[in-house]
Amino acid sequence: MKMTTPKLLATALFAAGFAVTISAQTPYYAATAQDLQSDLTEAAAGSNPSGSIIYLENDPTQAGGYFLGNFNYNSATTYPLQILVNTVNPSGGTFNVTNTIDGGGTGRGLNITSGGSVTVNGITFMRNC
């Protein structure tokens, strides 16, 4: 059976003359430092007018979510960004909600330049000098 994606359906409705508003946000899930920077870069591209949500998750190789590095989000759009803690474990139960962004003593842990609103919740920031 052929499935129709919401984006394909919205395109077809728009082409048929219907007004279409897509407001659903597709969240990103980051478990490693590389995941976080990749998600920030993709979110900064501003492809979703509803904004972007990045959920920090536990890295299975760490105790809790630990993100070491200098992360950057640079967006000229006015779209909102949310960086939140994902506490729901798809295997059941909850994740450890201790999430840390550590700049490693080399500068900012998270540098955000944006024309839109930014919400960061449930994260500890360390410079670790």
Side-chain angles (χ1 to χ4, degrees):
M1 181 166 93
K2 190 172 184 180
M3 301 292 288
T4 302
T5 65
K7 190 173 185 178
L8 182 60
L9 178 60
T11 302
L13 289 171
F14 180 77
F18 291 93
V20 177
T21 302
I22 301 174
S23 61
Q25 295 169 307
T26 301
Y28 300 96
Y29 294 90
T32 66
Q34 180 62 45
D35 291 343
L36 177 56
Q37 185 56 62
S38 296
D39 293 346
L40 287 166
T41 300
E42 192 169 328
S47 61
N48 189 349
S50 298
S52 298
I53 299 172
I54 299 173
Y55 287 108
L56 300 184
E57 298 185 313
N58 284 8
D59 180 342
T61 65
Q62 301 287 336
Y66 184 78
F67 302 87
L68 175 64
N70 300 118
F71 304 99
N72 291 295
Y73 175 84
N74 185 2
S75 178
T77 71
T78 58
Y79 304 153
L81 170 68
Q82 296 179 65
I83 304 174
L84 308 171
V85 174
N86 183 23
T87 59
V88 178
N89 185 338
S91 301
T94 60
F95 280 126
N96 176 351
V97 294
T98 303
N99 283 271
T100 302
I101 294 178
D102 183 350
T106 60
R108 296 178 182 101
L110 178 61
N111 184 41
I112 298 175
T113 305
S114 176
S117 65
V118 176
T119 302
V120 178
N121 191 6
I123 301 165
T124 300
F125 291 91
M126 294 176 53
R127 189 159 175 234
N128 206 10
C129 291

XYZ file of all heavy atoms in Angstrom, residues 27-33 35-36 39 54-67 83-91 95-100 122-123:
315
model
N 10.811 17.157 15.856
C 11.911 17.343 16.809
C 13.176 16.612 16.383
O 13.144 15.635 15.655
C 11.353 16.769 18.106
C 10.325 15.795 17.679
C 9.763 16.293 16.373
N 14.295 17.128 16.866
C 15.593 16.487 16.715
C 15.925 15.825 18.049
O 15.509 16.294 19.098
C 16.678 17.518 16.391
C 16.456 18.297 15.125
C 15.866 19.553 15.150
C 16.860 17.788 13.901
C 15.673 20.282 13.979
C 16.679 18.504 12.730
C 16.085 19.758 12.773
O 15.901 20.467 11.625
N 16.698 14.751 18.006
C 17.119 14.053 19.212
C 18.638 13.926 19.195
O 19.197 13.347 18.270
C 16.473 12.662 19.304
C 14.984 12.751 19.489
C 14.134 12.780 18.393
C 14.429 12.834 20.749
C 12.760 12.882 18.553
C 13.054 12.936 20.919
C 12.233 12.964 19.830
O 10.875 13.082 19.997
N 19.294 14.487 20.209
C 20.755 14.471 20.275
C 21.211 13.662 21.474
O 20.858 13.972 22.612
C 21.289 15.896 20.372
N 21.993 12.623 21.230
C 22.548 11.806 22.306
C 24.050 12.000 22.435
O 24.634 11.647 23.456
C 22.238 10.328 22.071
N 24.689 12.552 21.418
C 26.135 12.770 21.434
C 26.433 14.216 21.048
O 25.577 14.925 20.526
C 26.859 11.840 20.440
O 26.475 12.211 19.102
C 26.532 10.373 20.695
N 27.661 14.638 21.280
C 28.075 15.990 20.917
C 27.923 16.215 19.414
O 27.463 17.277 18.976
C 29.519 16.226 21.351
N 25.799 14.742 17.403
C 24.360 14.872 17.142
C 23.889 16.290 17.437
O 23.134 16.879 16.660
C 23.530 13.928 18.028
C 23.699 12.466 17.698
O 24.197 12.134 16.611
O 23.321 11.644 18.567
N 24.316 16.828 18.576
C 23.869 18.164 18.977
C 24.282 19.211 17.970
O 23.459 20.026 17.539
C 24.394 18.504 20.376
C 24.043 19.910 20.883
C 22.536 20.160 20.872
C 24.632 20.134 22.272
N 22.307 18.832 14.727
C 20.929 19.292 14.888
C 20.853 20.811 14.944
O 19.956 21.421 14.362
C 20.302 18.685 16.145
C 20.121 17.178 16.042
O 20.227 16.628 14.927
O 19.876 16.548 17.089
N 15.032 20.692 19.880
C 16.113 19.720 20.004
C 16.016 19.125 21.404
O 16.080 19.846 22.400
C 17.496 20.365 19.797
C 17.596 20.967 18.394
C 18.603 19.336 20.035
C 18.866 21.764 18.155
N 15.821 17.818 21.472
C 15.776 17.114 22.745
C 17.138 16.495 23.026
O 17.673 15.774 22.190
C 14.731 15.997 22.723
C 13.308 16.483 22.774
C 12.496 16.401 21.658
C 12.780 17.003 23.954
C 11.180 16.844 21.697
C 11.463 17.442 24.004
C 10.672 17.353 22.883
O 9.364 17.790 22.929
N 17.690 16.783 24.193
C 18.933 16.154 24.610
C 18.592 14.851 25.311
O 17.710 14.795 26.160
C 19.708 17.068 25.558
C 20.105 18.436 25.001
C 20.947 19.184 26.020
C 20.832 18.315 23.685
N 19.299 13.795 24.926
C 19.055 12.466 25.484
C 20.323 11.933 26.122
O 21.400 12.489 25.945
C 18.611 11.503 24.376
C 17.324 11.909 23.718
C 16.854 10.872 22.725
O 17.653 10.403 21.907
O 15.676 10.536 22.784
N 20.189 10.839 26.808
C 21.345 10.193 27.412
C 22.206 9.532 26.349
O 21.706 8.808 25.504
C 20.912 9.122 28.412
C 20.418 9.718 29.701
O 20.252 10.921 29.805
N 20.185 8.883 30.665
N 23.486 9.786 26.419
C 24.453 9.058 25.608
C 24.709 7.739 26.336
O 25.085 7.751 27.507
C 25.745 9.867 25.496
C 26.812 9.195 24.662
O 26.724 7.965 24.441
O 27.734 9.884 24.250
N 24.491 6.609 25.674
C 24.662 5.335 26.373
C 26.067 5.102 26.907
O 26.267 4.268 27.774
C 24.285 4.288 25.316
C 24.208 4.999 24.023
C 24.083 6.460 24.299
N 27.062 5.860 26.412
C 28.435 5.673 26.885
C 28.764 6.600 28.056
O 29.863 6.561 28.573
C 29.444 5.927 25.748
O 29.362 7.310 25.365
C 29.165 5.030 24.562
N 27.823 7.452 28.447
C 28.056 8.418 29.522
C 27.033 8.221 30.634
O 26.009 7.596 30.437
C 27.931 9.859 28.996
C 28.872 10.208 27.884
C 30.299 10.371 28.359
O 30.558 10.655 29.518
N 31.249 10.172 27.473
N 27.307 8.785 31.786
C 26.326 8.794 32.877
C 25.459 10.035 32.682
O 25.869 11.138 33.011
C 27.031 8.839 34.220
N 24.302 9.877 32.109
C 23.447 11.021 31.784
C 23.826 11.576 30.435
O 24.606 10.989 29.687
N 23.275 12.691 30.088
C 23.596 13.345 28.824
C 24.745 14.312 29.039
O 24.631 15.270 29.797
N 25.863 14.078 28.406
C 27.047 14.913 28.573
C 27.531 15.312 27.185
O 27.847 14.453 26.360
C 28.139 14.150 29.329
C 29.356 14.984 29.624
C 29.352 15.900 30.664
C 30.501 14.857 28.865
C 30.460 16.678 30.947
C 31.623 15.613 29.128
C 31.600 16.528 30.178
O 32.711 17.295 30.442
N 27.586 16.621 26.931
C 27.923 17.143 25.610
C 29.135 18.057 25.759
O 29.020 19.177 26.250
C 26.728 17.897 25.023
C 25.490 17.036 24.924
C 24.614 16.915 25.993
C 25.233 16.330 23.769
C 23.498 16.106 25.907
C 24.106 15.515 23.670
C 23.241 15.408 24.748
N 15.695 24.045 23.151
C 16.617 22.964 23.492
C 16.154 22.445 24.846
O 16.235 23.153 25.853
C 18.081 23.445 23.543
C 18.475 24.083 22.218
C 19.006 22.267 23.859
C 19.855 24.717 22.220
N 15.642 21.230 24.846
C 14.995 20.671 26.026
C 15.584 19.309 26.367
O 16.294 18.711 25.559
C 13.490 20.522 25.771
C 12.767 21.772 25.254
C 11.350 21.427 24.849
C 12.790 22.868 26.294
N 15.242 18.809 27.519
C 15.691 17.495 27.965
C 14.603 16.480 27.661
O 13.437 16.690 27.999
C 16.003 17.520 29.471
C 16.340 16.130 29.974
C 17.137 18.478 29.750
N 14.973 15.401 26.995
C 14.024 14.310 26.740
C 14.110 13.332 27.902
O 15.124 12.692 28.114
C 14.345 13.602 25.433
C 13.339 12.520 25.103
O 12.213 12.546 25.581
N 13.731 11.576 24.285
N 13.023 13.214 28.652
C 13.029 12.335 29.816
C 12.331 11.006 29.548
O 12.331 10.130 30.391
C 12.347 13.010 31.015
O 10.999 13.324 30.653
C 13.090 14.265 31.422
N 11.737 10.854 28.368
C 10.983 9.640 28.064
C 11.881 8.634 27.354
O 12.448 8.918 26.310
C 9.754 9.958 27.184
C 9.015 8.680 26.834
C 8.844 10.937 27.899
N 12.010 7.460 27.930
C 12.801 6.388 27.336
C 11.857 5.497 26.528
O 10.920 4.937 27.088
C 13.479 5.571 28.447
C 14.408 4.509 27.919
O 14.291 4.078 26.771
N 15.325 4.079 28.756
N 12.061 5.382 25.206
C 11.155 4.569 24.398
C 11.132 3.097 24.825
O 10.189 2.386 24.530
C 11.670 4.721 22.976
C 13.011 5.325 23.079
C 13.116 5.971 24.421
N 12.148 2.645 25.552
C 12.181 1.265 26.027
C 11.407 1.101 27.333
O 11.338 0.022 27.893
C 13.627 0.815 26.242
O 14.341 0.913 25.048
N 14.549 8.606 31.232
C 15.987 8.817 31.145
C 16.449 9.586 32.387
O 15.671 10.286 33.024
C 16.336 9.671 29.921
C 16.359 8.932 28.626
C 15.597 9.372 27.562
C 17.157 7.829 28.434
C 15.624 8.714 26.357
C 17.207 7.166 27.227
C 16.436 7.615 26.191
N 17.732 9.497 32.668
C 18.341 10.366 33.659
C 18.239 11.784 33.116
O 18.650 12.053 31.996
C 19.813 9.956 33.837
C 20.563 10.861 34.779
O 20.081 11.894 35.201
N 21.772 10.458 35.110
N 17.697 12.693 33.889
C 17.471 14.034 33.366
C 18.634 14.983 33.633
O 18.501 16.180 33.498
C 16.156 14.636 33.917
C 14.984 13.862 33.409
C 16.172 14.684 35.433
N 19.796 14.444 33.995
C 20.984 15.262 34.181
C 21.658 15.433 32.827
O 22.238 14.499 32.288
C 21.966 14.597 35.165
O 21.287 14.371 36.382
C 23.181 15.463 35.387
N 21.550 16.613 32.252
C 22.180 16.893 30.965
C 23.103 18.089 31.125
O 22.707 19.118 31.686
C 21.132 17.178 29.890
C 20.489 15.905 29.404
O 20.970 15.291 28.475
N 19.411 15.496 30.056
N 24.325 17.943 30.634
C 25.347 18.971 30.791
C 25.952 19.313 29.441
O 26.300 18.423 28.666
C 26.467 18.482 31.735
O 25.881 18.137 32.994
C 27.534 19.538 31.930
N 16.356 22.736 31.552
C 16.809 21.475 32.132
C 18.238 21.093 31.804
O 18.581 19.923 31.791
N 19.105 22.081 31.548
C 20.476 21.799 31.136
C 21.444 22.542 32.059
O 21.244 23.706 32.375
C 20.711 22.238 29.675
C 19.735 21.505 28.747
C 22.143 21.985 29.237
C 19.633 22.102 27.378
